[in-house]
Amino acid sequence: MLDMKITAGLGALENLPRLAAAGADEVFCGYVPVSWLERYGNFTPLNRREVLLQGLQIDSMSDLKLLRRMAEDCGVSAALTFNALYYLPEQLPLICDLFVELKQLGLNRWILADPALLLHLKQNRIGGHIHLSGEAGCFSPNALAFFRRLGIERCIFPRKMTPEEMAACISTAPELEYEAFALNENCHFSGAHCLSLHCDELEALCRVPYRAVGPDCTAPDEPTFPAEDGFGASGCGLCALPRLRRAGVTHLKVVGRGSHIDWIERDVRMLRRALDMGDAAPEELRRELLHDHCSGACYYPAPGC
């Protein structure tokens, strides 16, 4: 039976031991050096969390060294997100120079989305463990074949895919690692097509009250507010774990950089308990873990739902 691993979003360094103790095998976090902000500000971001004031980014080499040591001490691996949808041509050499520095620190796992950056790394022979971000929009076997040629070792599937669609991709390149969203932030947008900012100054579009309107939608009397907390309230994939495992998914993502650490720790623990239950049926998972209080915010609704 496939042993899936948990990767969790890290907002602050001091929270890493708690996530590891809860059952996370990996963490991912952002890095934005001061030199980048002085030159480009945060509206040409290094990653898709343009937030600066909420403590979501590492901003110094000394903290990166601490991240590496803490990760080693806790027995987890750490990946850094450089998953902006695109970078300016003049920025690509700067980012590559940054990657060389990171490798010297022992941090060589990067989550990337921009095909131009992937190509630049390949052409300049800057080795590293490259995880293709869900923001890249790898929706099909053809897309996977394209990114595979650029040297990725892991594909993070976008939110808007079913486990069966993932399986079709995985079957064409079973030697790679594959990651799927498991908990939180099941945004109604697809990251590859979302140009909203996630910054201090503006509310992200996914947090704005909305009405679903269209030929297949019945607009409610009051606008819908995206859920904020409560287990699985903003996206839950627990019931789909057997389908994800059969598809060949190797890693499960708990999103939540910037969420309260108590919530993320709870979510990691719950996901670990679900994995420990093996291929338990969805009904058993809901009964044993959720006490039949399902949020209804399914990442991967069962066929026919």
Side-chain angles (χ1 to χ4, degrees):
M1 183 173 62
L2 181 66
D3 182 21
M4 292 190 286
K5 299 183 181 299
I6 298 173
T7 178
L10 177 67
L13 279 179
E14 61 265 25
N15 295 333
L16 194 155
R18 291 181 61 176
L19 295 178
D25 301 288
E26 303 178 359
V27 296
F28 60 94
C29 57
Y31 171 56
V32 182
V34 174
S35 59
W36 180 277
L37 295 174
E38 290 174 343
R39 186 164 182 174
Y40 296 110
N42 66 328
F43 282 92
T44 52
L46 267 175
N47 65 73
R48 297 226 67 188
R49 285 289 193 275
E50 296 90 347
V51 175
L52 298 179
L53 300 181
Q54 298 179 28
L56 302 190
Q57 311 281 14
I58 295 175
D59 59 9
S60 68
M61 282 290 174
S62 60
D63 279 350
L64 286 176
K65 293 177 182 178
L66 181 59
L67 170 66
R68 179 183 56 79
R69 290 199 299 269
M70 291 178 66
E72 289 177 352
D73 291 343
C74 293
V76 302
S77 59
L80 296 173
T81 57
F82 297 90
N83 61 341
L85 298 185
Y86 66 90
Y87 297 99
L88 301 175
E90 69 180 63
Q91 294 172 334
L92 297 177
L94 299 177
I95 298 174
C96 286
D97 290 343
L98 180 57
F99 286 169
V100 172
E101 291 185 70
L102 293 174
K103 286 184 66 177
Q104 293 171 349
L105 292 179
L107 295 168
N108 60 355
R109 294 178 178 269
W110 310 312
I111 302 174
L112 313 180
D114 182 7
L117 178 56
L118 289 166
L119 180 60
H120 206 77
L121 287 174
K122 183 178 179 66
Q123 290 176 336
N124 288 275
R125 300 182 179 180
I126 301 175
H129 300 286
I130 299 175
H131 302 177
L132 182 69
S133 171
E135 306 294 283
C138 185
F139 288 101
S140 69
N142 285 341
L144 179 61
F146 169 78
F147 286 113
R148 184 184 175 198
R149 290 195 295 271
L150 295 179
I152 67 169
E153 295 186 7
R154 181 186 302 180
C155 173
I156 304 173
F157 287 116
R159 289 175 171 85
K160 308 302 181 185
M161 291 183 69
T162 67
E164 293 69 32
E165 290 169 332
M166 297 176 191
C169 292
I170 294 171
S171 65
T172 66
E175 73 280 3
L176 300 181
E177 295 179 339
Y178 294 95
E179 186 173 320
F181 288 83
L183 286 172
N184 305 333
E185 297 185 20
N186 186 9
C187 184
H188 41 267
F189 298 119
S190 177
H193 307 133
C194 175
L195 299 180
S196 172
L197 295 172
H198 306 80
C199 60
D200 303 301
E201 298 86 355
L202 302 171
E203 186 70 276
L205 287 180
C206 49
R207 297 296 185 190
V208 174
Y210 65 94
R211 285 188 175 93
V213 178
D216 298 322
C217 301
T218 301
D221 294 332
E222 297 295 330
T224 298
F225 288 81
E228 290 290 337
D229 62 350
F231 181 81
S234 65
C236 179
L238 288 193
C239 289
L241 292 184
R243 292 165 63 202
L244 293 170
R245 183 181 284 112
R246 288 194 297 271
V249 170
T250 58
H251 293 72
L252 299 168
K253 182 183 290 291
V254 178
V255 195
R257 282 191 290 157
S259 298
H260 197 287
I261 180 57
D262 290 346
W263 300 348
I264 302 302
E265 182 182 29
R266 170 205 61 194
D267 294 347
V268 171
R269 289 189 184 279
M270 187 73 81
L271 183 54
R272 176 55 63 192
R273 289 177 59 194
L275 289 177
D276 289 343
M277 292 177 67
D279 276 333
E283 297 79 10
E284 184 179 355
L285 286 166
R286 286 193 292 267
R287 183 177 62 253
E288 295 296 324
L289 300 180
L290 306 179
H291 306 292
D292 290 324
H293 293 293
C294 176
S295 69
C298 298
Y299 256 109
Y300 312 105
C305 291

